[in-house]
Structure formats: C-alpha cells, structure tokens
Amino acid sequence: MKLNIALLAGDGIGPEVIDQAVKVSNAIAKKFNHEINWTPALTGAAAIDAVGEPYPDDTHEVCASADAVLFGAIGHPRFDNDPSAKVRPEQGLLKMRQKLGLFANVRPTFTFPSLIDKSPLKRERIEGTDLIILRELTGGVYFGERGRKDEGETAFDTMTYQRFEIQRLAKKGFEMAMKRSKKLCCVDKANVLESSRLWRETVQAMEKDYPEVEVSYEFVDAVAMRLVQWPKAYDVMITANLFGDILTDEASVISGSMGLMPSSSVGSKVSLYEPIHGSYPQAAGKDIANPLATVLSAAMLFEDLDLSDEAQAIRDVVNKSLAEGIVTEDVAEDGKAYKTSEVGDWLAANI
Ligand code: IPM
Ligand code: MN
C-alpha cells in the first residue's frame, strides 16, 4: 500500500518524539511492503517564527490531501507567560482541528502489565483498566463566543453546543460501545449547565437506536473522582471538549505516565494522530522524552487504515521494550534510562 502521511512535528519535544514514530513506521513499511511518503509541514510556535502564523494555509493543504496526519505537540513557554500575545501556538491546533473537521478525539486509557506499579494508584484498582474517552473536539467553550467587556474588567467564554454536534459525537460513542462491552457513559454537568441538558436530551433520544447499549449519565465532578477511584467502572465515555481535556490528563495517571497515551482525532475527512502529552518544553532538545505515546499513535493510524497486523506489530514491540526495560527516564527503574532516540532505534530494530 502507498501511504501519504503529513508530518507535523510542532514544538518542544514534538520533533524528537515524531522522529521515533517515523523510524518505527518506516520499519513497519519495510516489513509489510508498504511505501510511506512523509510530507513535513510547519505548525505551532515553529510556524509562527517561520511565517507568522501557527497553522499556515500551506500546512492545511498538506494535511487535507494526506491519507493521515501524524502530529507531535504544540506550545511554547514564551507565549504562556504573555497573556497579551496576539498570535499563540495553540490557536494553530484549534484552527487545524476545526478546518480538518476533527470533531471526535479518541483517547484510550489502558495499563501496561510491566508498568502497573509506576502508577501512584493501587494495583488492584487499575489493573485491567481499558476505557476510551471520546472527547468532542470542535465545539463547546473552546470555540464559543469570548471576549472582554467593562473596559477589560470582565471576561467571558461561552459554552455553546448544537444538537448535531452532540449527535455525531454520540453516534461514534454508541458505535464504539457496540464493538466493545456495550457500555456508554455520558459525562456532563446537566445539574447546572443548559448545554449539558441538551447533551442528555440528545443522547437519551438516541438510546432507542442502540437497544443493546447500556447508557449511564454522570456528572463530570463525580466522574473526576470515580475515574481514579475505580476506572474499571468505565468503558466508552462521551463528553464535551473542556471536560474531556481535563479528564484525559487525569486518566493518564492510571497508565503511569503522560508519555504513554496515544490519541486519534477523527472527522469526516482525514484523521490526525497525536500523543496526548503536550510540548513539555523543559525536556525539549534533551533526548529524554518518552516517544511511546507518539509511537502508539502511529499504531492507531495503521489500525484505522485497516492495517491491523501492522498496528499489532507496533503494540507488541512497545510491550517488549517495556518488559525489557528499554525505556526513557519517566518510567525507568533504578536509574537505568535510555534516551528518546535509543528507544526509537531499539523499537525499529525489533520490528
Ligand atoms: C490537548 C491540549 C490542547 C487542548 C491545548 C494544547 C490547546 O491540552 O490536546 O489536550 O486543550 O485541547
Ligand atoms: Mn489537554
């Protein structure tokens, strides 16, 4: 198979972890007789520095015409500490999600047998966790009306949802639940927010189309507690953009490191694959970041292109590296840590 993949390394540790995913994917291509044509393009602070905006039209062209997009991370501390900055790297990410129509963000949470004790949570609570948070990605408070009034003394962000936005996300959730344990949890704040009441109303109306799926409705604050208390209670969860952003960072604690969790963002056209960790500027350029989240994102990419053996080969080699301790410092035992690039080389060599 011939694959055209857009490669958006982005900022911070993005380029380093992306390099390892490329090595691994190329090894997969060689083994399974595929041809991957990588097209690099600029995003984030790197794009602001080069052309003055974080998601240039050229980059959009590259993404829109690719079979898939592999993405690293976006963000730079020089913007975080400057609330008056007019152009911010994160705007590029939001623009990209919107322009590519990536309305559903699939964030799985699972444990790795060899890393269970890396989690600050007790083994018996997390062992066997296997859940998916399906986060709405192109609506809600991230995209609602925002601004200042009263001469800057009042600021507002609006959480707006339209029924069709909830329906298309929920549809993916129901379909996913049908392929798994047929359990779906709608996470909202319907005791307070009108937009959440529209979520509940919409999802309730869809229940009749999926009679086999057992649907529960829970408030996001309670879920924040239950998720780390008893994650095995959950399978597929659907939720609004901001709630999903917060809950997925929380859920990464279950797996033991933010450096492990992959994600995909899907819509009607091309899909995008990225680690859930951010740009981790403190580690940038040091060759210490964990590349596994990005490597596992590449596995999700192959899986979605119906290349399941290829995806499984990646997951297998990742598990092998963890079992044999070929890992970066965030998950290393007793100080024996490998560099980002060494882990990537080992994975590629062991495909
Ligand atoms: C994520 C990130 C982004 C988000 C930031 C970088 C804008 O935290 O992908 O979860 O909030 O969506
Ligand atoms: Mn986030």
Side-chain angles (χ1 to χ4, degrees), residues 107 135 245 249:
R107 296 190 167 183
R135 166 188 176 195
D245 179 45
D249 267 31

Side-chain angles (χ1 to χ4, degrees), residues 53 55-62 95 99:
E53 55 170 312
Y55 185 61
D57 289 344
D58 287 352
T59 299
H60 181 64
E61 290 306 312
V62 169
K95 192 167 162 197
K99 284 186 80 170

Side-chain angles (χ1 to χ4, degrees), residues 74-75 90-91 93-94 97 105 107 135 137 142 241 244-245 248-249 274-278:
I74 254 183
E90 288 80 2
Q91 288 163 348
L93 187 57
L94 301 187
R97 288 171 179 170
N105 184 210
R107 296 190 167 183
R135 166 188 176 195
L137 203 58
Y142 274 62
N241 204 341
D245 179 45
T248 50
D249 267 31
E274 63 170 308
I276 81 155
H277 60 67

Side-chain angles (χ1 to χ4, degrees), residues 41-71:
L42 288 169
T43 43
I48 295 177
D49 291 342
V51 296
E53 55 170 312
Y55 185 61
D57 289 344
D58 287 352
T59 299
H60 181 64
E61 290 306 312
V62 169
C63 294
S65 58
D67 297 314
V69 182
L70 188 62
F71 178 76

Side-chain angles (χ1 to χ4, degrees), residues 9 29 38 48 57 61 68-69 76 87 90-91 107 115 129-130 148 156 192 197 225 227 263 275 294 316 321:
W38 303 97
I48 295 177
D57 289 344
E61 290 306 312
V69 182
H76 194 285
V87 198
E90 288 80 2
Q91 288 163 348
R107 296 190 167 183
L115 291 184
T129 298
D130 179 15
R148 295 278 181 116
F156 61 95
V192 178
R197 289 193 272 273
M225 181 189 69
L227 190 58
S263 83
T294 315
D316 287 346
S321 75

Side-chain angles (χ1 to χ4, degrees), residues 15-16 18 43 56 106 121 124-125 133 138 140 156 172 179 196 201 252 254 259 271 291 322:
E16 298 160 52
I18 281 284
T43 43
V106 184
L121 302 169
E124 62 271 23
R125 292 186 180 261
I133 300 179
T138 52
F156 61 95
K172 287 220 182 291
K179 291 196 196 131
S196 284
E201 183 185 307
S252 74
I254 297 166
S271 300
L322 291 171

